[in-house]
Amino acid sequence: MDGGRAAEQGDPPRDGEPPAGGSGGGGCGGPGDVRVATGSPGANKKDAGSSTGGGDGNGVTAAPTVVVAPDNVPEASGRPLKRQKADPAPTEASAPNGAAGEGTSSAASPAGTTGATTPPAAATANAGGKPTAGVDAPTRADPPVIIPAGDCPAGEAVWASLLASNATFAAEGNRPPVEGVSVAHREALAAGQSPAAVVVTCSDSRVSPELLFARGLGELFVVRTAGNTAAFDLTVASVEFGVHNLGSPLVVVLGHTKCGAVAAAVATAADADAMAGQPPGLAAFVKAALVAPVRAVKERGGVAEADFVSACEVENVAAAVRSLVTTSAWMGKAQAGGKVKVVGALYNVAAGTVSEV
C-alpha cells in the first residue's frame, strides 16, 4: 500500500486497491466532482514534522536537504513528496582542457563555469513508510492549500453519537453494549464490515476507542500509530480504505493528554540529543513526524510554560488532520465534496472525556 493513491477524477479505487465492496463509498454525497488544489503534495512531511539531521546511529552523516520546487511535483497527485535524484554521472563527457569534470552532468557546462557537485538524494521514508534514521525531511516551497469541507450530515450524526456515548463512559465507565460483543454479532460480522467511523489514534494502552466511545465489534475502523500521526503512507492509505471501501462517513484523529510521543517531541525540540539513549528508529520517527507541531506552537507564542505541552498535544492532532486532507488528494476531494467529515479530538486520560479540537 506504500505510496498508493486514488486518481483525481471521479471516485475510482487507488492503484493496487481492491474495488469497493459491501457498502463501499456510502458517505454522504456531495456537490458533484470537486477538484483538489493541493499546492505541493506531500504536505504532511512539513506539517507533521521534519528531522533536524544528524547521524543514523551507525556513524553515517545525513545528506544535505534537497529542496524540491513546486514545478517538480505532479499536480494533486496525492503521492508523498520525494526528493529529486542527483544527475547521473557522465559517461563520455570530458571537462574543458582535458581535465576530469568533477560533479558535472552529461551536458557540457557553459563556458567560463565549473561543474558544481549535486548533493546526493536523500529519502525520508522507506518502502514501508517508516522514516529513515538521521535523514532530513523534504521541505515544501509553498504551503498546502486546504479547501473548505463540504457538509456531511451522516458524518455529523455519527460524531454526535460518539460524543454522547463518551459522555456516558466518562460519567459511569460503561462498556460497549452486550449485543455489540455477543457471539451472534461476532459470527454475523464474518460476512463483512461497515464501520461507522475511522479512528486514527495513539498506540497508548490507556486509549481504547471502542471502550471510550462504548462501541462493539465492527463499529470502528481503528488505525493506531505512535503519537496518532498521519505523516506516513501506511496510515493515510488505511484511512482511505475505510472511507472508500467500507463507506465510513467520519474520520476522527484522536490524540490524548499525557502523550509520551508528544513529550518526546517537546524534549527533542529543546535538545537535539534528548533521545540519544533511545533506539535510532524511534528517535528518527519523533524528529520526522512529531517535532514540527511543537515548533509551530513555540513560534506562535503566547502560551504559558505550564500549558505548553498541552498546546503541543492539540497542535499535533491538528497537524495530523491537515496531513490527511493535503497528502491525499482523494481524501481532500472526499471532504470537500461532503463524502466524509474529518475531525480532530483530544481524549483526557484522567477525566475520560473526548473533546473536539
Side-chain angles (χ1 to χ4, degrees), residues 142-169:
D142 59 341
V145 177
I146 303 176
I147 55 181
D151 292 333
C152 183
E156 291 282 359
V158 173
W159 181 227
S161 175
L162 292 179
L163 289 176
S165 295
N166 172 252
T168 302
F169 165 81

Side-chain angles (χ1 to χ4, degrees), residues 100-113:
E102 180 181 356
T104 59
S105 68
S106 57
S109 299
T113 62

Side-chain angles (χ1 to χ4, degrees), residues 176-177 180 185 189 194-197 214-221:
H185 181 64
L189 286 173
S194 55
R215 290 300 190 266
L217 296 173
E219 296 188 70
L220 300 177
F221 188 80

Side-chain angles (χ1 to χ4, degrees), residues 21-215:
S23 60
C28 311
D33 187 18
V34 181
R35 183 172 179 83
V36 176
T38 60
S40 175
N44 62 311
K45 299 299 189 293
K46 180 76 171 180
D47 294 331
S50 60
S51 169
T52 56
D56 64 357
N58 297 310
V60 179
T61 302
T65 300
V66 179
V67 179
V68 181
D71 58 359
N72 290 330
V73 184
E75 179 186 2
S77 65
R79 295 184 180 277
L81 188 64
K82 295 183 179 179
R83 301 184 184 191
Q84 305 302 304
K85 294 184 178 179
D87 288 335
T91 54
E92 299 294 335
S94 58
N97 302 323
E102 180 181 356
T104 59
S105 68
S106 57
S109 299
T113 62
T114 57
T117 302
T118 304
T124 58
N126 60 21
K130 181 179 179 181
T132 303
V135 179
D136 285 354
T139 305
R140 281 197 327 274
D142 59 341
V145 177
I146 303 176
I147 55 181
D151 292 333
C152 183
E156 291 282 359
V158 173
W159 181 227
S161 175
L162 292 179
L163 289 176
S165 295
N166 172 252
T168 302
F169 165 81
E172 304 174 17
N174 284 357
R175 293 180 177 272
V178 175
E179 61 271 18
V181 292
S182 68
V183 173
H185 181 64
R186 185 188 70 221
E187 291 175 344
L189 286 173
Q193 60 173 323
S194 55
V198 176
V199 181
V200 178
T201 192
C202 187
S203 302
D204 194 296
S205 63
R206 297 166 293 181
V207 184
S208 176
E210 291 87 352
L211 293 178
L212 60 92
F213 287 128
R215 290 300 190 266

